[in-house]
């Protein structure tokens, strides 16, 4: 993201006194050349490649080869891989390998992108990191050991844990709240990101000083920028004459002392923020080093000049990689303080610049990204089970892997910190959506080909007059009982399973299409398995006939009710009941009144309504909201004047439909809530399905400069304390904090998958299928921001089309769980997974004489203990030896081509879902037999435990240990002692363990 966004913060922080005195003795400055290359944001990937990104690698490789002292770090892999595969010559590839061998070019972070930390799910963080690391290891035999997370808008505590699991030795971040950066006495510490893993996966963390990752753009002796001799990148094409805007003045004998004074002064300013005399001085910024020749030609003599006067200036300088800096720091043997599992969210740069709006920006893209991730997860395991123990059809494995790889790339790409955040321009949003949609189509074709035993294109329309068969795949590693919802074109229908037995089903009118019908099917699907259902029209079938007809729901309508400011007299309540809840609805308001949780027999008062924050778009009138920032003028105001309600009651599902109208006379509603309770028949597992109230919302289109929230108000005595998740991995306590300014926005937090509030006996839990901003603005209240539509007259936003004039209608989903702590604690993780990985539904045409069940062999179900999650089961296709020495030797011999994918290596990752002490039973370590987990894939030949991204054998991984005030010893292994367990392994709370599994082909 662009340096202009830093200007307000820099102006303010430059006036601050650093928190400590400059270290004693000479300062050693590590000048780290880099280019911050956003994978998207304002320009598409292809526009960036054409304008500057390809030139970065071409010119850097050439210039590093010309100067032995020069260094450069490369970060995100998407641009590099495009350059490597489509631009680089054989000579340039040879130069890259040599520079890597000599340590003059270093890959840091190494993921496909620099992922956002607030609104991404940790599954997708791991995916994009694995994609990049797999390429680097397969191609060069290298494994990044340091992170460079300089631009995400706030820092999650999940990230250091994942980076430690990936084998990183140090972690670098930059953007934390300005108040925290001012208050911190030091910006380096050892971070124990997980309360359950703590010391086991702690990592040394460096927070950049007030200048962040950019070189200071202002130098006192020139009206041009400083240290950016190649100027500013030009779009759409590089200028023909090679002259770019804002090129710094060349270094000459006349100004070299002035340049030296400016650089040394800045080094000393940075040094005052740190304990040691080693100073990291990042040289670069956004879209820099597209002409590395002019960059190094000016910096080389400047560094030599400073070093010739080092004793006088008190500073020596050297080109360095990030690894050079951290190795020097580690060698000092300093004792560092530790930080616990708390994160650095939210993030503000000034009192009225709270970066909490992007938690919700472009909600449609956030939803699409998560659906794509879920489809990829399902496709990966289905293809793996198809291939092992032997392929069972004519499917071409190379084509299949290509479909998966396309979606892996698209899902990885959208995790970028200016992608899923919704902070990109409309044309870049379109690029992300096109890549996701194309990848999803390919994987759905793959899945249809597998279940239908031949190449197929999945259909997605309504079931036609002849009927359909439906194949439903459960990608989770335990049996799921759920409702499958389809849209069909006929009012009478029968549903049967593979054996022709009737299946409980219900039909009702569609809310979206007047001529269509919604069919609910109760499906029970074993783990990593699929079921087939036949759907046939019936001629006027009714209840009580011999045909296995779906039951028909009845609709009760309530007229439009006006918004009331106060209740008068007793309410007239309508109950909606299933085995777990009684939801009471107020006929006088058409709003929810309360919920009784039947196990505890406690009734909680609860109402839900839509409100809007009105925000400013005129800079002359004060602070503005935009893609990034949320700056409300006042408290949220009700966004409706009247509500209509329908209750669609059925034997299987009862749906409550509430339509919210902006004014009394309007015809179209702006908001709606569709709440669903399931009535689970006897003989079916009801634990998860019964214990949730499923809600889907209709939000929009919004009026301009409105931010829409769903507020749920209860009588829970929550004391305004909220809990929300870090990336779906762990929970953070979020007490309401009073600020002198902008308290509403600064008390918004990201919810990626779950959040809850509670009192002494009950907890209200919210589960989400996409990221949102969430806050508690009052005791017993929780509000979820669902949508934003903004415009402002900030020239920078207008110039880059970043005003977020989002006119879409969005349909987010939340599941509500209410009950005692013990119940909701046990259900939260598995219910969240059930929402995230809902069964995949594939349609096929049903001929009049076709059997219910398409041809396919029955597979053995996979069932894990309830506290374990099969996080991935895939065939990655990497073509390298698991033995590092052997792999490096193969590369040295020139065996570098990827002739064909390796289909024999299966990637298996298991995740313990619970924290230490969270649940008396589910928080216990769990022992599993991997042969039993993957029993359907054939005889197991070998199991190798690997690092998180698969590139390290954990038995050889020795991460650095940093001395801490708590006394953790240097040189100790940070992986727990693991005796040879064979296929039987024990997984401890919150552990994520990754394996390569090899099978005997049959």
């Amino acid at each position: 993201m662009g340096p202009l966004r830093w200007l307000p913060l820099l102006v303010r922080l430059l006036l601050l006194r650093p928190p400590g005195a400059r270290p004693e003795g000479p300062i050693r400055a590590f000048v780290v050349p880099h280019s911050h290359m956003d994978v998207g944001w304002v320009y598409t990937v292809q526009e960036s490649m054409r304008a500057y990104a390809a030139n970065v690698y071409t010119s850097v490789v050439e210039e590093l080869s010309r100067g032995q002292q020069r260094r450069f770090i490369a970060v995100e892999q998407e641009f590099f891989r495009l350059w490597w595969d489509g631009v680089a010559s054989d000579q340039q590839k040879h130069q890259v390998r040599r520079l890597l061998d000599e340590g003059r070019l270093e890959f840091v972070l190494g993921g496909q992108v620099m992922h956002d930390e607030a609104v991404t799910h940790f599954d997708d963080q791991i995916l994009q990191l694995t994609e990049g690391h797999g390429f680097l290891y397969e191609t060069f035999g290298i494994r990044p050991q340091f992170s460079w997370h300089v631009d995400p808008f706030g820092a999650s505590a999940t990230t250091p844990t994942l980076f430690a699991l990936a084998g990183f030795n140090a972690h670098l971040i930059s953007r934390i709240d300005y108040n925290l950066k001012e208050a911190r006495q030091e910006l380096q510490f050892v971070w124990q990101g997980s309360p359950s893993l703590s010391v086991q996966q702690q990592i040394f963390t460096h927070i950049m000083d007030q200048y962040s990752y950019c070189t200071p753009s202002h130098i006192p002796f020139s009206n041009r920028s400083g240290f950016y001799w190649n100027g500013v990148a030009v779009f759409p094409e590089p200028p023909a004459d090679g002259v770019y805007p804002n090129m710094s003045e060349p270094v000459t004998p006349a100004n070299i002392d002035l340049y030296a004074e400016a650089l040394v002064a800045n080094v000393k300013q940075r040094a005052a923020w740190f304990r040691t005399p080693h100073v990291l001085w990042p040289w670069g910024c956004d879209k820099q080093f597209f002409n590395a020749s002019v960059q190094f030609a000016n910096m080389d003599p400047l560094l030599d000049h400073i070093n010739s006067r080092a004793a006088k200036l008190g500073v020596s300088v050297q080109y360095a990689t990030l690894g050079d800096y951290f190795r020097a720091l580690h060698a000092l043997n300093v004792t560092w303080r530790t930080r616990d599992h708390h994160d650095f969210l939210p993030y503000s740069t000034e009192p009225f610049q709270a970066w909490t709006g992007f938690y919700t920006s472009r909600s449609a893209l956030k939803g699409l990204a998560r659906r794509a991730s879920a489809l990829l997860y399902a496709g990966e395991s289905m293809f793996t089970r198809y291939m092992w123990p032997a392929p069972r059809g004519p499917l071409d494995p190379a084509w299949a892997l290509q479909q998966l790889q396309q979606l892996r790339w698209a899902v990885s790409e959208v995790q970028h910190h200016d992608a899923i955040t919704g902070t990109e321009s409309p044309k870049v949003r379109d690029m992300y959506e096109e890549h996701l949609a194309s990848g999803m189509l390919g994987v759905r074709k793959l899945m249809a080909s597998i279940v239908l035993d031949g190449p197929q294109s999945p259909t997605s329309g309504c079931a036609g007059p002849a009927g359909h068969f439906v194949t439903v795949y459960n990608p989770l590693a335990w049996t799921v009982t759920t409702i499958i919802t389809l849209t069909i074109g006929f009012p009478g229908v029968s549903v049967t399973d593979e054996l022709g037995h009737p299946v409980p089903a219900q039909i009702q009118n569609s809310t979206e299409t007047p001529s269509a019908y919604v069919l609910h099917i109760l499906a029970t699907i074993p783990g990593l398995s699929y079921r087939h259902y036949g759907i046939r029209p019936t001629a006027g079938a009714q209840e009580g006939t011999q045909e296995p007809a779906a039951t028909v729901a009845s609709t009760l309508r309530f007229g439009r009710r006006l918004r009331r400011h106060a209740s008068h007299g007793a309410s007239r309540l309508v109950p909606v009941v299933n085995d777990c809840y009684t939801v009471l609805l107020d006929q006088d308001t058409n709003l929810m009144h309360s919920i009784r949780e039947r196990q505890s027999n406690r009734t909680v008062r609860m109402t839900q309504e839509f409100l809007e924050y009105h925000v400013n778009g005129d800079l002359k009138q004060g602070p503005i909201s935009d893609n990034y920032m949320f700056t409300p003028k006042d408290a949220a105001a009700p966004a409706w004047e009247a509500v209509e309600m329908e209750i669609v009651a059925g034997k299987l599902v009862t749906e409550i439909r509430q339509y919210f109208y902006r004014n009394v006379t309007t015809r179209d509603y702006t908001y709606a809530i569709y709440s669903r309770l399931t009535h689970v028949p006897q003989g079916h597992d009801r634990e998860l399905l019964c214990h949730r109230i499923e809600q889907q919302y209709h939000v929009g289109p919004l009026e301009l400069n409105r931010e829409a929230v769903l507020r749920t108000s209860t009588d829970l005595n929550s004391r305004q304390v909220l809990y929300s998740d870090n990336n779906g991995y762990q929970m953070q306590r979020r007490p309401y904090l009073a600020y002198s300014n902008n308290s509403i926005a600064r008390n918004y937090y990201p919810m990626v998958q779950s959040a809850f509030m509670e009192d002494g006996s009950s907890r209200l839990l919210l589960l989400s299928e996409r990221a949102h901003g969430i806050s508690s603005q009052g005791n017993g209240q929780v509000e979820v921001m669902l949508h934003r539509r903004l415009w402002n007259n900030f020239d920078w936003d207008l110039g880059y089309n970043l005003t977020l004039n989002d006119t879409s209608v969005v349909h987010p989903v939340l599941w509500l769980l209410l009950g005692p702590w013990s119940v909701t604690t046990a259900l939260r993780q598995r219910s969240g997974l059930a929402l995230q990985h809902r069964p995949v539904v594939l349609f096929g045409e049903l001929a009049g004489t076709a059997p219910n069940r398409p041809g396919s062999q029955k597979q053995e179900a996979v069932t894990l203990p309830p506290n374990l999650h099969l996080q991935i089961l895939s065939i990655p296709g990497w073509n390298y030896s698991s033995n590092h020495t052997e792999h490096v030797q193969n590369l040295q011999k020139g065996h570098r081509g990827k002739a064909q994918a390796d289909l024999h290596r299966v990637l298996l990752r298991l995740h313990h879902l619970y924290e230490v002490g969270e649940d008396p039973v589910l928080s216990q370590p769990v022992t599993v037999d991997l042969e039993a987990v993957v029993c359907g894939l054939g005889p197991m030949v070998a199991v190798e435990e690997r690092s998180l991204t698969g590139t390290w054998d954990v038995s050889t991984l020795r991460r650095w240990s940093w001395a801490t005030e708590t006394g953790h010893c240097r040189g100790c292994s940070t992986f727990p002692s693991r005796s040879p367990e064979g296929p039987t392994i024990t997984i401890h709370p919150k552990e994520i363990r990754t394996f390569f599994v090899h099978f005997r082909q049959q």
Side-chain angles (χ1 to χ4, degrees):
M1 200 197 67
L4 282 173
R5 280 288 178 185
W6 282 100
L7 289 180
L9 176 63
L10 285 179
V11 170
R12 189 173 189 279
L13 287 178
L14 286 174
L15 302 176
L16 294 174
R17 291 185 63 187
R22 181 174 66 80
E24 295 288 334
I27 296 171
R28 184 182 176 191
F30 293 77
V31 177
V32 178
H34 75 99
S35 180
H36 186 70
M37 303 164 71
D38 286 304
V39 182
W41 187 37
V42 175
Y43 302 102
T44 67
V45 167
Q46 287 305 318
E47 285 176 326
S48 295
M49 283 293 290
R50 189 164 60 247
Y52 83 95
N55 288 338
V56 170
Y57 294 113
T58 298
S59 66
V60 162
V61 168
E62 181 178 353
E63 291 306 313
L64 292 185
S65 300
R66 291 179 175 177
Q68 192 69 25
Q69 81 282 14
R70 294 171 175 174
R71 301 288 187 271
F72 192 81
I73 61 169
V75 188
E76 302 92 346
Q77 288 308 297
E78 179 155 335
F79 284 129
F80 180 81
R81 291 176 73 172
L82 290 170
W83 177 80
W84 182 263
D85 291 337
V87 178
S89 66
D90 289 342
Q91 180 185 1
Q92 288 167 330
K93 291 182 177 181
H94 174 75
Q95 289 174 315
V96 168
R97 295 183 191 280
R98 180 169 56 82
L99 292 167
L100 289 169
D101 289 342
E102 296 172 357
R104 295 194 284 128
L105 173 65
E106 180 180 61
F107 286 105
V108 297
L109 184 61
Q112 278 291 94
V113 298
M114 186 186 298
H115 67 249
D116 169 70
E117 297 195 35
V119 299
T120 48
H121 195 280
F122 80 109
D123 286 353
D124 303 322
Q125 297 178 4
I126 295 171
L127 169 71
Q128 73 86 19
L129 206 62
T130 302
E131 276 293 287
H133 285 195
F135 164 77
L136 288 174
Y137 190 62
E138 183 175 62
T139 309
F140 305 113
I142 63 170
R143 300 170 286 205
Q145 297 183 44
F146 309 100
S147 91
W148 180 264
H149 247 224
V150 296
D151 205 26
F153 320 132
S156 164
T158 300
T159 309
T161 300
L162 297 186
F163 286 172
L165 288 166
F168 286 12
N169 288 314
H171 176 40
L172 186 146
I173 62 176
S174 182
R175 293 184 184 266
I176 67 169
D177 194 277
Y178 75 98
N179 271 348
L180 293 175
K181 192 167 281 194
E182 288 176 28
R184 300 196 74 77
Q185 291 303 301
E186 55 189 275
L187 298 179
Q188 294 168 322
F189 49 87
V190 174
W191 197 352
Q192 298 175 349
S194 164
S196 294
L197 300 178
S198 60
V199 172
Q200 180 194 108
Q201 297 302 346
Q202 66 185 7
I203 191 168
F204 180 81
T205 302
H206 172 108
I207 303 177
M208 284 188 155
D209 53 59
Q210 74 268 34
Y211 292 96
S212 189
Y213 61 85
C214 289
T215 311
S217 59
H218 173 72
I219 47 178
F221 60 87
S222 172
N223 58 4
R224 299 193 221 169
S225 65
F227 310 104
Y228 300 127
W229 291 284
N230 59 192
V232 177
V234 174
F235 288 77
E237 303 283 349
D241 59 4
V243 177
Y244 287 81
N246 207 26
M247 298 174 74
S248 301
E249 288 187 27
V251 173
T252 66
N255 66 17
I256 194 167
D257 283 326
L258 297 174
Y259 261 116
E261 290 171 8
L263 195 155
V264 167
N266 185 252
V267 166
K268 290 180 177 179
Q269 282 181 307
R270 291 177 185 264
W273 290 76
F274 298 99
R275 289 177 57 190
T276 78
H278 292 347
V279 174
L280 173 64
W281 199 78
W283 176 32
C285 200
D286 292 54
K287 307 177 186 68
Q288 283 295 304
F289 280 88
F290 50 83
N291 184 347
S293 174
V294 68
Q295 290 281 84
F296 283 114
N298 283 276
M299 187 62 90
D300 284 354
L302 178 56
L303 297 192
D304 289 343
H305 184 75
I306 293 172
N307 284 333
S308 70
R309 293 160 175 76
K312 177 182 178 182
L313 297 173
V315 173
S316 65
V317 290
Q318 67 185 83
Y319 287 126
T321 63
L322 187 62
D324 292 334
Y325 169 72
F326 278 128
R327 276 185 286 271
L329 197 64
H330 186 249
L332 292 178
N333 197 19
V334 173
T335 298
W336 304 95
R337 65 179 184 81
T338 58
R339 176 179 174 83
D340 65 13
H341 67 280
H342 289 96
D343 61 10
F344 290 101
L345 292 165
Y347 163 65
S348 295
T349 48
E350 286 189 8
F352 285 101
Q353 292 188 352
W355 295 48
T356 56
F358 79 90
Y359 301 159
T360 303
S361 294
R362 299 204 190 284
S363 177
L365 176 62
K366 286 176 166 65
L368 178 64
R370 287 278 284 277
R371 291 195 299 275
S373 171
L375 182 65
L376 175 62
Y377 174 79
E380 296 277 18
S381 63
M382 182 182 278
F383 176 60
T384 304
R385 299 208 79 192
Y386 170 84
M387 289 298 297
W388 291 96
R392 294 178 302 281
L395 184 67
D396 177 8
W399 172 84
L401 198 56
Q402 184 181 24
Q403 308 313 305
L404 293 169
Q405 288 171 334
Q406 182 183 2
L407 189 53
R408 290 173 192 166
W409 185 293
V411 173
S412 296
E413 177 185 73
V414 81
Q415 307 311 314
H416 175 65
H417 58 270
D418 273 307
I420 194 170
T421 51
T423 53
E424 67 282 333
S425 66
K427 67 178 176 182
V428 175
R429 173 209 58 202
D430 293 344
M431 177 197 74
Y432 295 135
E433 290 181 347
E434 288 166 9
H435 291 175
L436 290 168
S438 177
M440 293 172 75
L441 179 62
V443 170
R444 289 189 72 88
K445 286 181 178 178
L446 165 61
M447 298 180 74
S449 299
I450 291 172
V451 299
L452 305 177
D453 284 349
Q456 300 283 337
S457 292
T459 60
S460 58
C462 296
H468 272 84
F469 61 79
V470 174
T471 300
V472 184
Y473 178 66
N474 170 24
L476 293 170
W478 29 273
T479 299
V480 167
T481 298
T482 191
I483 299 293
I484 304 300
T485 300
L486 311 171
T487 301
I488 61 173
F490 34 82
V493 62
S494 67
V495 181
T496 52
D497 64 13
E498 303 93 333
L499 301 177
H501 297 152
V503 175
Q506 174 182 314
I507 196 164
Q508 60 196 49
N509 292 328
S510 169
T511 58
E512 301 295 329
T513 309
S515 60
Y517 301 88
V518 171
L519 176 65
H520 300 299
I521 302 171
L522 182 67
T524 297
I525 317 154
L528 269 64
S529 303
Y530 39 84
R531 298 286 307 274
H532 305 286
Y533 300 98
I535 302 172
R536 292 181 173 84
T538 57
Q542 301 293 329
E543 283 189 66
T545 69
Q546 295 303 307
E547 279 187 274
T551 60
V552 179
S554 60
T555 302
L556 182 62
R557 292 180 173 83
F558 299 81
R560 195 171 295 195
R561 303 287 190 266
L562 302 183
R563 181 164 59 88
R564 300 190 314 181
H565 297 285
S567 179
H568 303 284
S571 300
R572 297 180 299 147
L573 304 180
V574 179
V576 174
V577 182
N578 74 355
D579 289 335
C580 295
Y581 299 114
T582 298
V583 177
L584 294 170
L585 303 161
D586 189 338
Q587 293 186 64
D588 297 323
T589 63
N590 284 345
L591 299 178
M592 185 184 293
H593 175 274
S594 57
I595 300 176
R596 182 168 70 91
E597 197 275 320
R598 302 184 73 177
Q599 182 170 328
S600 64
N601 200 30
R602 179 181 176 182
T603 297
V604 175
R605 288 292 302 266
M606 189 178 304
T607 60
Q608 292 182 301
E609 62 173 332
F610 294 99
L611 299 96
E612 291 176 347
Y613 286 101
H614 295 210
V615 296
N616 174 45
D618 185 356
L619 278 173
K620 297 177 182 178
Q621 301 298 318
I624 59 169
S625 276
D626 64 7
N627 294 36
Y628 303 90
M629 289 177 282
F630 170 41
T631 314
K633 292 190 291 187
D634 297 297
W640 56 280
E641 289 294 334
V643 188
E644 290 180 358
M645 183 170 67
E646 298 174 345
I647 299 177
V648 183
K651 286 190 173 182
L652 190 60
V653 172
T654 293
E655 186 173 273
I656 306 159
R657 302 171 179 171
Q658 295 163 292
Y659 306 99
F660 292 75
Y661 295 87
R662 190 172 291 282
N663 58 60
V664 176
T665 59
T666 192
R667 177 182 169 187
D668 298 321
Y669 53 87
T670 305
Y671 298 98
I673 304 175
Y674 306 105
S675 305
R676 191 166 83 181
L677 279 77
T678 303
H679 315 286
V680 185
Q682 292 293 329
H684 295 267
D685 180 17
R686 64 184 63 194
E687 182 183 31
L688 296 185
L689 188 55
C690 174
H691 273 100
R692 64 188 185 234
I693 301 171
E694 301 179 14
Q695 291 193 329
Q696 183 176 34
Y697 311 99
H698 169 112
V699 184
L702 301 182
E703 295 180 352
L704 204 56
N705 288 331
R706 298 290 187 269
E707 315 212 21
V709 302
L710 173 76
R711 179 175 291 172
T712 302
S713 302
T714 74
D715 61 359
L716 294 175
N717 184 22
S718 66
R719 295 180 170 82
Q720 239 175 315
V721 175
L722 189 65
Y723 295 79
S724 72
D725 65 321
N726 271 166
N727 315 107
Y729 178 69
Q730 60 192 17
M731 302 301 290
Q732 295 279 345
R733 186 176 184 269
R734 312 292 196 187
Y736 187 90
L737 302 175
Y739 297 95
S740 55
N741 294 297
N742 210 20
S743 283
I744 293 174
R746 296 184 73 180
N747 278 284
Y748 256 80
Y749 298 91
M751 173 180 67
V752 175
Q753 183 170 297
S754 62
F756 63 82
M757 63 178 179
E758 61 190 12
D759 62 13
S761 58
S762 293
R763 174 183 292 171
L764 174 64
L765 170 65
L766 278 61
L767 300 172
S768 179
E769 38 75 77
R770 71 187 71 179
H772 299 282
I774 191 166
S775 184
S776 178
Q777 296 290 328
N779 186 33
Q781 284 185 359
V782 58
E783 64 183 44
V784 181
M785 188 176 287
L786 300 177
H787 202 10
R788 315 176 76 216
R789 183 186 175 194
L790 307 168
W791 184 90
N792 66 72
N793 58 7
F794 182 25
D795 288 342
W796 190 82
D797 280 343
L798 293 173
Y800 289 125
N801 200 6
L802 295 174
T803 59
L804 199 65
N805 189 6
D806 186 346
T807 60
S808 66
V809 176
V810 297
H811 302 278
V813 172
L814 294 176
W815 287 0
L816 278 57
L817 283 70
L818 178 68
W821 293 8
S822 59
V823 173
T824 55
T825 296
L827 294 177
R828 179 176 67 86
Q829 295 282 17
R830 284 201 299 153
S831 295
L833 288 169
L835 174 56
Q836 182 180 354
H837 296 298
R838 286 168 284 186
V840 177
V841 179
L842 300 166
F843 282 90
E845 297 294 335
L846 186 63
T849 58
N852 288 333
R853 180 182 177 275
S856 99
Q857 298 177 11
K858 184 172 180 62
Q859 293 181 314
E860 198 164 346
V862 175
T863 304
L864 285 177
N867 49 2
L868 278 192
H869 171 46
L870 180 62
Q871 197 171 31
I872 193 68
L873 180 68
S874 76
I875 298 175
W878 301 317
N879 195 1
Y880 60 74
S881 170
S882 297
N883 182 294
H884 179 66
T885 302
E886 183 178 302
H887 175 50
V888 172
Q889 289 173 347
N890 288 338
L891 290 172
Q892 292 170 345
K893 293 173 184 176
H895 302 160
R896 295 166 179 161
K898 188 170 182 178
Q900 64 182 55
D902 179 1
L903 299 173
H904 295 84
R905 177 189 285 121
V906 172
L907 175 65
L908 170 70
R909 187 179 293 120
L910 296 173
H911 170 216
H912 195 301
L913 295 170
Y914 290 84
E915 299 280 2
V916 169
E918 187 177 4
D919 183 273
V921 176
L922 296 170
S923 291
Q924 297 302 313
V926 59
T927 299
V928 293
D929 184 343
L930 291 181
E931 286 190 297
V933 171
V934 292
C935 56
L937 275 65
M940 187 182 295
V941 175
V943 178
E944 312 163 37
E945 181 156 13
R946 309 292 291 189
S947 60
L948 183 71
T949 59
T951 56
W952 288 90
D953 180 336
V954 296
S955 66
T956 66
L957 175 57
R958 294 293 182 269
R959 290 179 52 240
W960 297 353
S961 185
W962 300 73
T964 66
E965 295 168 354
T966 55
H968 186 49
C969 63
R970 286 176 59 84
C972 297
S973 170
T974 51
F975 271 85
S977 175
R978 302 197 195 282
S979 57
E981 298 172 280
T984 301
I985 61 167
T986 299
I987 304 182
H988 295 266
K990 297 312 288 185
E991 280 192 328
I992 303 171
R993 294 180 64 181
T994 303
F995 304 89
F996 287 165
V997 185
H998 302 266
F999 299 95
R1000 182 178 297 113
Q1001 194 143 23
Q1002 298 179 2

